[in-house]
Amino acid sequence: PAAKPTRGPIPSSRFDVTCDGLKGRGLIFDSADPRADRFTQVKREIVKYIGKEYTNGRDIRRSLEHEEERPLSAPAVLRTDTTDVDKEIFKIEISEFVKRRNKLRSNLESAFSMIIGKCTELTLMQLQSLSEWGITNDTSDAIKLLKLIKSLSNQMNDQKYYHLSLHMEKRSIYTLRQGPYTSNAQLFENLKARVEIME
């Protein structure tokens, strides 16, 4: 008898950009996840990875942490009595500053792809339905993308879900436990994140 046709592999329910330092750690932006601090946890680990692995990672880490592009400090303007040596040094500093600024912008575009790759298909579909998605996607705006994901993650705070949301947020605080590998500082950050969402 003829062999029965075999089915191909079932597509993954989520995207996952290849990042050895993040792979297999369950760091996924899932707007359907009811845990109040889940966005904060995933964002923190991804931003930490980017800050460590990207060139000039400290610059992009600051911007992603605060969800706004933090301008770099430009070299101080030369005084009128500056020596020729100082002028040459200033030229080098300006050149390095321009390189850092361009790298920051390049890193932000690269981070956009990584963050998208850490979204579930449901989250991605919800993002694509938002009016801000077009410009965010066209410009590869990683900071705006984080803000949109956060808004989706917090959508249960909408007025029509107020009582259910309040109950779930309280429950997430009451059931918070310190795991064997969770430091006191990390536990405090998790608790702080949940309280901030309730407020």
Side-chain angles (χ1 to χ4, degrees), residues 66-120:
H66 297 279
E67 294 177 16
E68 64 178 16
E69 186 169 345
R70 292 298 177 97
L72 304 177
S73 298
V77 178
L78 291 176
R79 300 177 305 188
T80 55
D81 59 345
T82 301
T83 65
D84 290 340
V85 172
D86 289 333
K87 290 179 181 178
E88 290 302 314
I89 293 175
F90 181 72
K91 289 180 182 178
I92 296 174
E93 290 177 343
I94 286 294
S95 176
E96 291 301 316
F97 168 76
V98 171
K99 290 178 182 178
R100 277 184 65 196
R101 186 183 61 184
N102 291 341
K103 191 60 181 178
L104 173 59
R105 292 171 178 171
S106 173
N107 281 343
L108 285 170
E109 291 184 4
S110 177
F112 177 90
S113 297
M114 175 184 287
I115 294 169
I116 281 293
K118 289 297 178 180
C119 292
T120 62

